[in-house]
Amino acid sequence: MFKDILLVGIGSFAGGSLRMVVSKYLQLCVAGSFPLGTMVVNVLGCFLIGIVSSLSGSESSISPAVRLLLATGFCGGFTTFSTFMNENVMLMKDGDDFSTSVLYLFASLFLGFVAVLAGRQLVLAFR
């Protein structure tokens, strides 16, 4: 168990550090407030976790330890959005119908947005 935690921690450190560098650099290249850096990191993270999850359990399989390091650690540290999107794909892949995946997608986006607004309002109420 400690080895797994260490693998995820190392991957998270690398992914989170790279997220900051890529996001900050790309944001400097864009005029205005559009969060291009975050969008690129999220899409790139989705691409990477798609590769890693496809290599898991295939003929060119990667070990569970490498999967923890790359998918849970690196991609999770790089962006949790990639994990969120991969879970949507897995819902469909595991035999659940498309509507379950769509429900998870929109419920997560809506509830996450509402939760951010609620958190902000809570802080503003006590200032």
Side-chain angles (χ1 to χ4, degrees):
M1 180 67 151
F2 182 73
K3 177 185 165 196
D4 292 348
I5 292 170
L6 192 58
L7 286 169
V8 171
I10 291 168
S12 294
F13 175 78
S17 298
L18 186 61
R19 174 185 66 222
M20 188 211 56
V21 170
V22 170
S23 185
K24 294 277 185 194
Y25 175 75
L26 287 175
Q27 207 54 48
L28 292 173
C29 298
V30 104
S33 61
F34 184 79
L36 178 68
T38 301
M39 186 180 77
V40 168
V41 162
N42 285 338
V43 172
L44 185 56
C46 289
F47 178 72
L48 293 173
I49 206 166
I51 291 171
V52 172
S53 66
S54 294
L55 291 175
S56 299
S58 68
E59 58 276 351
S60 58
S61 188
I62 59 175
S63 72
V66 172
R67 187 180 194 304
L68 271 177
L69 176 75
L70 295 177
T72 305
F74 183 83
C75 288
F78 192 60
T79 170
T80 56
F81 186 77
S82 61
T83 301
F84 169 59
M85 287 299 151
N86 192 52
E87 287 172 347
N88 275 285
V89 170
M90 291 300 129
L91 279 173
M92 290 188 294
K93 183 179 172 186
D94 291 341
D96 290 332
D97 61 338
F98 182 73
S99 61
T100 303
S101 178
V102 170
L103 175 64
Y104 176 56
L105 175 73
F106 286 108
S108 295
L109 291 174
F110 176 75
L111 293 172
F113 185 73
V114 169
V116 169
L117 292 175
R120 291 174 56 87
Q121 287 303 115
L122 181 65
V123 170
L124 292 174
F126 288 100
R127 271 199 177 159

